[in-house]
Amino acid sequence: MAEALLDLIAGNHFEAESAGTHPAGLNPVTVESMHEIGVDVRNYRSKNLDEFVGQSFNYVITVCDRAKESCPVFPGAVNIRQWSFDDPAAAPLDTRREVFRQVRDEIANRLCRFLIEEARFIPAALQCYCCGTQLQTDSVS
């Protein structure tokens, strides 16, 4: 979700990659929750972090505590961030769809804050489906 959300929100200003410590394939509820906001992720794939070892990145952002514990070292990374989100796939079956939506929106909001506060984007330049109208230019420190 994070890779597709960054692609959506920042457009072609970032090259996003996403990978996991234990990729398990694209979750159908991910596909569904992203489709709800008009994003088709069916051509995305679940990648292993090993595919990126040895590459350099301006930013490496981990998005769950388990990843923080088992992420490989990215010596070429200029900035490393750890953002904690619930694992929606671990949610009880009866609430899983809602948890996926909630985590999707939390990631989108956090990406918007990151792009404005750290990457110095102008809020009007972002294409965020859920927070674009809530962001104020004076939120930049």
Side-chain angles (χ1 to χ4, degrees), residues 5-108:
L5 287 168
L6 184 59
D7 288 344
L8 171 70
I9 296 167
N12 62 359
H13 297 286
F14 274 83
E15 183 178 336
E17 295 288 354
S18 181
T21 54
H22 300 94
L26 196 56
N27 190 303
V29 187
T30 296
V31 175
E32 180 183 318
S33 67
M34 295 301 288
H35 178 75
E36 290 173 357
I37 61 166
V39 178
D40 184 358
V41 296
R42 291 176 297 176
N43 290 324
Y44 285 71
R45 68 181 180 86
S46 181
K47 296 169 279 211
N48 192 293
L49 284 170
D50 292 341
E51 294 181 42
F52 302 101
V53 172
Q55 294 185 31
S56 63
F57 295 93
N58 289 332
Y59 290 93
V60 171
I61 301 171
T62 62
V63 294
C64 70
D65 290 332
R66 279 186 296 154
K68 182 180 180 184
E69 297 302 320
S70 58
C71 261
V73 175
F74 285 91
V78 177
N79 299 286
I80 299 173
R81 304 288 182 271
Q82 195 280 321
W83 300 344
S84 185
F85 298 101
D86 291 334
D87 179 359
L93 191 55
D94 62 332
T95 61
R96 190 166 296 161
R97 279 183 171 73
E98 184 55 39
V99 173
F100 265 87
R101 289 180 191 114
Q102 178 183 346
V103 171
R104 174 200 66 203
D105 294 346
E106 289 172 358
I107 292 170

